Amino acid sequence: MDLQGILEEIAYALAPRAAAGAGKVADYIPALARVPAAHFGIALRTRDGHEAAAGDAHLAFSIQSISKLFTLTLAMQTLPDEELWQRIGREPSGNPFNSLIQLETERGIARNPFINAGAIAVADRLVTHGDAKRRVLALLSSLCGEAVVFDEEVAASEAATGYRNVALANFMKSFQRIDNPVESALDMYFHQCSIAMSCAQVARAAGYLCRDGAHPLEDGTQVVTDRQARRLNALMLTCGTYDAAGEFAYRIGLPCKSGVGGGIVAVVPDTLSLCVWSPGLDHSGNSALGMEALEMFVSATGLSVF
Ligand code: DON
């Protein structure tokens, strides 16, 4: 299959619509609000290491909630299952990513690790086990073979405006679901959201999810076990795109994880990982053209889990 040609066709069809301003760029912090809507990039890496890319695939963007996939991976590497899942569920929330509503009735237990509450709970566990910020950068740098860093301006703005995240963390703390001072868990969470990477880097970094947990670049190294990789893919499919998870499964049928920077990472199990970036978002906070691009990719290749 000519994967490079398919990505180029998708970029050719969608880049003009990005330039025309499809979707709405996140504007809750200045560093995201000033990103031009006109960007469109797409990249993939196959299970056996072939890479293809088109459009702005090598420009860094704010990965935001895509980081939740990698912090969960780190938590799976670090914590026994009982400890990890004690305070976090594995069910879709059907609510916006920053919703407070279920935490009240579910006594501070976040529905899943990909909504903000769940990711803050994961960040808290990583803080407990030490060196969390350095470890997430080390994991990502190792997975994509290039230095990955925080954008400190974005991290500071997230902290200055993250009132809902502060509320979520305090709410969970009131039920004794957060071990550390909320400031420490949130510092980790705000920094992970600020990580900047390109589509090519994200597609490569997610490579272990299409190769039974095996490191994309290092032969013989398991990032997670085969079983853990399957579970990460299952959680992405059911919870990775928030209240649009059903629509993503219906239209695309791939495990996906999105972020409000406009990136979406997707996995074709046993075959390839891919990442698309277009900053204009739809009403659920997922990249509007990113979703279309994935739909086009699935139609053109027939690659889907269904
Ligand atoms: O924590 C927040 O609300 C922002 N940093 C956005 C996180 C995010 O990307 C949610 N997903 N779409």
Side-chain angles (χ1 to χ4, degrees), residues 96-297:
F97 58 84
N98 54 8
S99 172
L100 285 141
I101 214 146
Q102 282 160 343
L103 275 185
E104 172 76 23
T105 49
E106 295 175 9
R107 302 192 54 76
I109 296 186
R111 267 290 172 99
N112 69 64
F114 291 153
I115 52 173
N116 288 14
I120 294 166
V122 169
D124 176 59
R125 302 335 295 263
L126 293 175
V127 168
T128 301
H129 284 262
D131 218 6
K133 287 198 276 185
R134 190 199 60 78
R135 288 185 64 214
V136 72
L137 292 183
L139 173 69
L140 284 167
S141 301
S142 154
L143 288 171
C144 71
E146 291 167 16
V148 170
V149 293
F150 298 124
D151 179 330
E152 291 293 347
E153 183 201 343
V154 172
S157 297
E158 295 280 348
T161 60
Y163 304 112
R164 274 184 170 262
N165 291 317
V166 174
L168 290 166
N170 277 297
F171 209 70
M172 288 188 287
K173 183 89 177 167
S174 77
F175 287 103
Q176 290 87 45
R177 311 290 189 201
I178 296 284
D179 290 332
N180 299 285
V182 289
E183 295 75 19
S184 309
L186 287 169
D187 180 57
M188 171 62 187
Y189 175 73
F190 292 140
H191 273 86
Q192 71 181 69
C193 286
S194 83
I195 291 171
M197 291 172 76
S198 68
C199 289
Q201 289 176 321
V202 173
R204 200 180 304 150
Y208 62 101
L209 295 169
C210 73
R211 6 176 33 232
D212 305 320
H215 196 291
L217 305 180
E218 293 170 16
D219 280 346
T221 302
Q222 285 294 130
V223 179
V224 289
T225 63
D226 174 18
R227 188 181 197 208
Q228 287 172 323
R230 268 200 317 268
R231 290 176 163 184
L232 284 162
N233 279 317
L235 288 166
M236 287 168 76
L237 184 76
T238 52
C239 311
T241 48
Y242 316 113
D243 41 339
E247 190 66 11
F248 264 74
Y250 181 81
R251 283 171 53 183
I252 296 160
L254 293 176
C256 293
K257 182 73 206 83
S258 60
V260 294
I264 307 175
V265 62
V267 179
V268 183
D270 300 325
T271 308
L272 57 82
S273 47
L274 73 160
C275 178
V276 57
W277 171 51
S278 175
L281 306 179
D282 66 14
H283 63 278
S284 56
N286 298 304
S287 171
L289 293 182
M291 192 166 183
E292 278 195 47
L294 291 172
E295 213 174 350
M296 288 169 77
F297 180 81

Side-chain angles (χ1 to χ4, degrees), residues 3 62 66 92-93 142 159 178 192 207 225 262 298 302:
L3 292 170
S62 191
I66 294 176
S93 70
S142 154
I178 296 284
Q192 71 181 69
T225 63
V298 169

